[in-house]
Amino acid sequence: MSSYGISQYPDVEAIDKRIETLTHSPIRTLTADQLAEYHAWYEQHTPASKQAAADAEAVIPGGVQHNLALNDPWPLAITRAEGAYLHDADGNRYVDFLQAGGPTVLGSNPPAVRAKVLELLEHCGPVTGMLHPAETQLAKLIHDFMPAVHKFRMLGSGTEAVMAAIRAARAHTGKAHIIKVGGAYHGWSDQVVYGLRIPGTGSLEATGIPAPALSNTAETAPGDLDALRALLAANAENGGTAAVLVEPVGPESGTHPVTREFNAQVRDLCDEFGSLLIFDEVVTGFRLGMGGAQGYYGVTPDLTVFGKCVAGGYPGAGGVGGSDAVMASYAGGLTAAGQRALTGGTLSANPLSCTAGYHTLLEMDRLDAPAKAGAAGDRLRAGLDALIGKHDLPYVTYNFGSIVHLHTSGVLHLSLSDPEFFDKLGPRKDMLEHMSMAFAAEGVITLAGSRIYTSMADTDEVLDEALAAFERVFAKIPAA
């Protein structure tokens, strides 16, 4: 069994104080002339991507399908992903710290997994709608790594898995209310587009969603146990809370970090009020360690939501698992009429996804990939911290193993209660996009310029290359 990837837990109180200072300080960003120079770099070095973006815009809303894609000045057309690197249509190479949102802990397109997928496709279509042995192999393997997952239901995405988990929680408890921690992203289904990314924003991003769809959803501030208890108590007077959803390291993969004790304290509150605890391990599952966040924290959730890594970065990456009693809520076949919680999906648990997931998890365990990716995250975070100090910048960096955060604008830590919220939101959001663009031009792809996922493919050589790129950007920031 492989080890966990967090060598030292972040000092959450100290981080919160530094982020608070960042959000109340003038933004330190690139000048208009420097941005113009970067735009000129894109014009000169990425013409094929520019043309591809123009072609896409004619047939795709906004010209891009992926919410995580770099958009400024246009999306990069990636034609090759291998190991630690991405390559675009113009032949430029980038260190890949986006990792499609986090599933590729082994690095992109690992040969051992690819070989198993190709072997499958030699004799079986990617989807049959029938039972395949890889479904059972994957479910058994997940249980071996996470004993709380007695049963596992494979689905198509993390969004679907959250929908299914909430439905099972309501069916099992007979209660309707759900509580999430503000700022967390649990997919884009109607009932959870609430308090996204910035805590306290409620239905701010719920365009196109009828208000009744959110009538049983509420949020509490990250780490605020008193508020959670008060909300659980209030809901108890109105039918009760079916489930509390948490990202174990904190909302947005730890963008709003929580203390090491937080999850156990939420577990106790859920038990006290007869609510289920749902761990959203779409990112942390198998990335923190093969036992997931639940193994690292030593906390047993009632339901676990999976995504991304459960299919090794291949499509069809999602699922939900839990105890026999709760998982019995799910319908199977066409004869369950009205007795259980309906789930489904033509492409769910297809042979290709299950085969890829099974062999990815085996390979990750064999190579101790979470620990190696975590060590890379430690080294990168230490290097970024040194650069921040060297250039006297107010930026904040910390990591949960291979999940590395770099806050430069503090935009996700603004407060809607601030009368100047919307005045601050635009410039700080723009800064984040500008930093992301600059990092890419220097050879590093990040998640929105503020989150970095490392993999075991990130050798010291790769990390040195990346840190040199970050320094080239930091060195351009004008002095305060």
Side-chain angles (χ1 to χ4, degrees):
M1 180 71 72
S2 60
S3 52
Y4 287 91
I6 300 180
S7 62
Q8 182 176 2
Y9 203 82
D11 184 338
V12 173
E13 183 178 357
I15 290 166
D16 285 343
K17 288 179 180 178
R18 290 185 62 190
I19 293 174
E20 180 77 6
T21 299
L22 174 66
T23 58
H24 287 87
S25 301
I27 59 175
R28 296 278 302 281
T29 188
L30 298 161
T31 66
D33 287 344
Q34 290 164 343
L35 291 173
E37 290 176 3
Y38 278 125
H39 278 202
W41 181 91
Y42 280 89
E43 287 282 0
Q44 181 179 353
H45 293 90
T46 66
S49 285
K50 183 179 182 180
Q51 183 59 54
D55 293 343
E57 193 164 8
V59 292
I60 297 172
V64 65
Q65 305 274 24
H66 307 284
N67 291 338
L68 304 180
L70 174 72
N71 293 329
D72 184 12
W74 45 76
L76 295 172
I78 299 300
T79 57
R80 179 183 169 201
E82 187 172 3
Y85 295 101
L86 297 173
H87 303 257
D88 69 17
D90 293 284
N92 301 301
R93 189 185 76 169
Y94 309 87
V95 176
D96 178 16
F97 287 147
L98 172 61
Q99 290 196 9
T104 51
V105 183
L106 292 168
S108 287
N109 201 15
V113 177
R114 183 173 68 244
K116 293 296 183 180
V117 170
L118 292 174
E119 180 182 325
L120 170 82
L121 292 176
E122 288 290 334
H123 65 266
C124 182
V127 62
T128 65
M130 302 291 282
L131 178 66
H132 188 275
E135 297 175 46
T136 306
Q137 292 173 331
L138 178 59
K140 285 182 176 179
L141 190 59
I142 291 172
H143 170 71
D144 289 345
F145 292 134
M146 299 184 188
V149 180
H150 300 156
K151 297 283 178 65
F152 173 71
R153 181 70 188 257
M154 187 91 163
L155 295 163
S157 68
T159 289
E160 290 182 30
V162 168
M163 293 166 61
I166 291 172
R167 186 169 294 176
R170 286 172 167 158
H172 181 76
T173 64
K175 302 172 183 179
H177 291 283
I178 58 170
I179 300 172
K180 57 163 293 189
V181 180
Y185 176 74
H186 297 296
W188 51 272
S189 63
D190 285 3
Q191 60 203 332
V192 291
V193 180
Y194 192 87
L196 292 189
R197 299 184 175 87
I198 301 177
T201 51
S203 59
L204 184 66
E205 295 194 51
T207 302
I209 299 174
L214 293 164
S215 61
N216 290 313
T217 303
E219 64 171 312
T220 57
D224 193 338
L225 290 163
D226 291 338
L228 178 57
R229 170 180 285 279
L231 188 51
L232 285 164
N235 285 350
E237 300 297 317
N238 189 27
T241 301
V244 177
L245 288 85
V246 299
E247 289 185 69
V249 295
E252 280 284 345
S253 300
T255 295
H256 306 276
V258 296
T259 64
R260 188 163 186 167
E261 300 76 30
F262 179 73
N263 294 291
Q265 294 165 329
V266 175
R267 172 75 274 176
D268 290 343
L269 284 174
C270 286
D271 291 342
E272 179 181 344
F273 285 91
S275 304
L276 300 191
L277 174 61
I278 300 175
F279 266 17
D280 184 336
E281 294 230 42
V282 165
V283 172
T284 55
F286 313 114
R287 175 165 280 278
L288 293 192
M290 300 311 295
Q294 56 199 264
Y296 174 77
Y297 288 104
V299 175
T300 302
D302 297 292
L303 287 168
T304 301
V305 169
F306 297 91
K308 301 184 188 299
C309 198
V310 79
Y314 284 78
V320 59
S323 67
D324 288 337
V326 180
M327 294 298 290
S329 300
Y330 291 122
L334 301 176
T335 60
Q339 300 176 30
R340 297 180 183 169
L342 180 66
T343 56
T346 301
L347 300 181
S348 295
N350 66 78
L352 186 152
S353 298
C354 292
T355 297
Y358 175 70
H359 289 286
T360 295
L361 296 185
L362 283 179
E363 193 74 353
M364 286 174 62
D365 185 46
R366 182 180 75 83
L367 296 174
D368 202 11
K372 291 175 181 175
D378 287 344
R379 190 172 184 275
L380 183 65
R381 186 263 312 149
L384 288 170
D385 218 14
L387 292 177
I388 288 168
K390 176 180 177 180
H391 295 282
D392 193 26
L393 295 165
Y395 306 159
V396 183
T397 185
Y398 56 93
N399 70 306
F400 293 92
S402 60
I403 307 170
V404 183
H405 293 273
L406 173 61
H407 297 298
T408 58
S409 78
V411 64
L412 296 183
H413 295 84
L414 297 177
S415 172
L416 192 61
S417 63
D418 184 345
E420 299 179 332
F421 173 81
F422 288 102
D423 292 332
K424 295 177 179 178
L425 182 65
R428 289 181 182 268
K429 177 178 176 291
D430 289 346
M431 177 191 173
L432 209 58
E433 293 176 353
H434 295 159
M435 296 296 283
S436 180
M437 176 196 68
F439 295 153
E442 296 291 354
V444 175
I445 303 292
T446 61
L447 195 165
S450 63
R451 198 180 315 160
I452 295 163
Y453 294 116
T454 54
S455 77
M456 64 167 286
D458 293 323
T459 62
D460 286 348
E461 182 181 13
V462 172
L463 296 173
D464 287 343
E465 178 184 342
L467 286 167
F470 283 115
E471 178 157 33
R472 288 193 292 272
V473 178
F474 289 175
K476 295 178 185 292
I477 306 297

